[in-house]
Amino acid sequence: MEASQRIVNRRHLAGRSIGVLPAFLGTLLFALPCLAQAPLHPVPNIFKPLSTPADEIDHLSKFVLMITGIIFVVVFTLLVYAIVKFRARATDPAQEPPQVYGSSQIELAWTVIPALIVVILFLASARVIHAIQDAKRPPDAVDVTAIGHQFWWEFRYPNLGVVTANELHIPLSDPAHPTPTFLKLLSADTDHSFWVPQLNGKTELIPNRVNEMWLDPHQAGLFLGQCAEYCGTQHAKMLLRVYVDTPEAFSRWILSQQHPAIQDESVVAGRRVFETTACMNCHAIVGTPANGRFGPDLTHLMGRATLASGAALNTRENLRLWIQDPDAIKPGSLMPAMKLSDADLDALVNYLETLH
Ligand code: CUA
């Protein structure tokens, strides 16, 4: 290759590598507004606990990280020191250096110190486990039974007569007057795991077993979570939404949920479609003959922001698509494609849209 050509090539390459940076920045600038638009299910910040159990776990994790960090620094410092100071040199004698066996002092030190560290870590973990598992139950605690299904969540409030799905409402808990929510975790089929990082750690939902956890959120708002145990094809779209309401908003929500479904005579055709197809075998609508429990309770469907366990926004188009072809939203979901005629589908969606 000619020298001049090589220079041209090098300039060309340099130009290309400089061009990568604006391209990267451009992509970033383009991507930022998309991120700012808040996707349907943004990733919650696991480093910002907002509930007592999550806070305790966060403190313990940082403590363990600090101790293991110190061990890491000490071991690596000694290792680098030994490698550099005792490296092979050209002036070294040919034979092996003198071998030293057994120093009671050193052996005692490296047995006792790690044993002490393990005891400290054990005690710190045991304290947090005790504080979370054996927490006192205040009289105003709310009871919720959460049942994991492939691939959605059933929430039942046994003392309040409310059943809902996928979007859990719980009250804000004021530390001066705590109103924590105690969850009883069950499973209808296989193992799932309830995980809302900012409210508590993960707890499994296991068939034929009752697990428990509690949440006492110190901030109102929407908290996102996820099934954290592989439970089948749509495990990744088994999302969780926890709405932490002020006490007044929570009471209002409970009152609205206690009402049976609205009977709107203008959508009677759609109601007939619901009651004469397979819908009512799986779904319940309080105040109608539909009392299936295989799928989510639809009595107040329109009170939810999302469909299909957080997989899609609860809009008319998505609802229509979900009924006609669930695989288009959640391939492998257990909801069958209803294959209705356009007229029946529209009537059915009209009916479901009255379920506030
Ligand atoms: Cu349910 Cu993973």
Side-chain angles (χ1 to χ4, degrees):
M1 197 190 282
E2 291 287 318
S4 59
Q5 202 183 338
R6 233 177 281 152
I7 290 166
V8 169
N9 276 356
R10 230 178 263 154
R11 273 202 198 125
H12 176 67
L13 280 176
R16 274 232 305 247
S17 58
I18 289 167
V20 169
L21 193 65
F24 173 73
L25 288 175
T27 312
L28 203 66
L29 283 176
F30 179 76
L32 276 177
C34 299
L35 288 175
Q37 267 173 15
L40 181 55
H41 201 82
V43 178
N45 184 357
I46 60 166
F47 300 108
K48 201 176 163 228
L50 287 165
S51 167
T52 306
D55 210 36
E56 298 257 5
I57 294 169
D58 184 64
H59 282 144
L60 176 64
S61 313
K62 283 175 183 157
F63 177 70
V64 172
L65 203 63
M66 186 190 75
I67 299 228
T68 49
I70 292 171
I71 295 172
F72 177 84
V73 169
V74 169
V75 169
F76 259 79
T77 309
L78 291 174
L79 192 64
V80 170
Y81 173 78
I83 289 170
V84 173
K85 183 151 168 75
F86 302 107
R87 69 186 183 277
R89 291 186 173 86
T91 53
D92 283 348
Q95 76 273 26
E96 273 197 348
Q99 302 293 300
V100 181
Y101 294 103
S103 157
S104 327
Q105 275 183 5
I106 293 177
E107 286 187 10
L108 257 173
W110 72 41
T111 307
V112 171
I113 294 172
L116 276 177
I117 294 173
V118 169
V119 168
I120 290 169
L121 292 178
F122 168 77
L123 289 177
S125 308
R127 193 196 68 78
V128 171
I129 291 170
H130 169 70
I132 295 177
Q133 283 193 348
D134 306 329
K136 274 220 189 68
R137 203 196 136 92
D140 292 329
V142 175
D143 280 302
V144 174
T145 304
I147 306 163
H149 294 256
Q150 285 173 320
F151 301 96
W152 61 281
W153 306 90
E154 179 179 353
F155 297 121
R156 307 181 81 87
Y157 298 66
N159 306 327
L160 300 167
V162 169
V163 180
T164 186
N166 303 324
E167 301 188 2
L168 176 66
H169 283 252
I170 60 174
L172 181 69
S173 186
D174 175 5
H177 177 72
T179 48
T181 301
F182 278 72
L183 291 171
K184 193 186 259 188
L185 303 169
L186 311 171
S187 170
D189 36 50
T190 182
D191 291 3
H192 304 272
S193 178
F194 188 99
W195 189 35
V196 184
Q198 291 182 291
L199 300 183
N200 203 331
K202 300 168 183 173
T203 307
E204 299 281 292
L205 299 89
I206 301 168
N208 302 317
R209 193 193 146 81
V210 179
N211 278 343
E212 273 165 356
M213 75 155 34
W214 57 278
L215 317 166
D216 69 332
H218 303 321
Q219 189 179 302
L222 170 61
F223 293 82
L224 298 171
Q226 160 81 51
C227 176
E229 174 71 53
Y230 183 73
C231 51
T233 317
Q234 279 306 333
H235 153 73
K237 282 188 180 169
M238 189 166 165
L239 306 172
L240 256 169
R241 297 168 80 86
V242 177
Y243 289 89
V244 174
D245 300 331
T246 59
E248 304 76 46
F250 181 70
S251 306
R252 270 201 307 276
W253 183 81
I254 289 291
L255 268 177
S256 72
Q257 298 292 305
Q258 284 169 336
H259 284 291
I262 293 163
Q263 303 284 348
D264 185 338
E265 285 315 306
S266 68
V267 290
V268 73
R271 188 176 153 189
R272 199 169 302 125
V273 175
F274 189 91
E275 288 174 4
T276 53
T277 58
C279 304
M280 62 181 280
N281 298 336
C282 295
H283 296 282
I285 296 181
V286 176
T288 77
N291 63 356
R293 279 202 50 192
F294 194 69
D297 186 298
L298 302 179
T299 313
H300 301 283
L301 174 65
M302 286 301 129
R304 298 178 207 145
T306 59
L307 294 173
S309 205
L313 279 176
N314 188 1
T315 61
R316 185 178 172 89
E317 301 73 57
N318 286 341
L319 186 56
R320 213 172 177 280
L321 181 61
W322 177 243
I323 296 164
Q324 202 65 344
D325 184 17
D327 276 9
I329 291 175
K330 226 169 145 173
S333 91
L334 302 188
M335 161 115 172
M338 297 311 294
K339 303 287 178 217
L340 298 172
S341 70
D342 270 359
D344 279 357
L345 183 59
D346 282 328
L348 180 57
V349 172
N350 288 342
Y351 167 57
L352 293 176
E353 282 193 321
T354 63
L355 301 175
H356 284 282

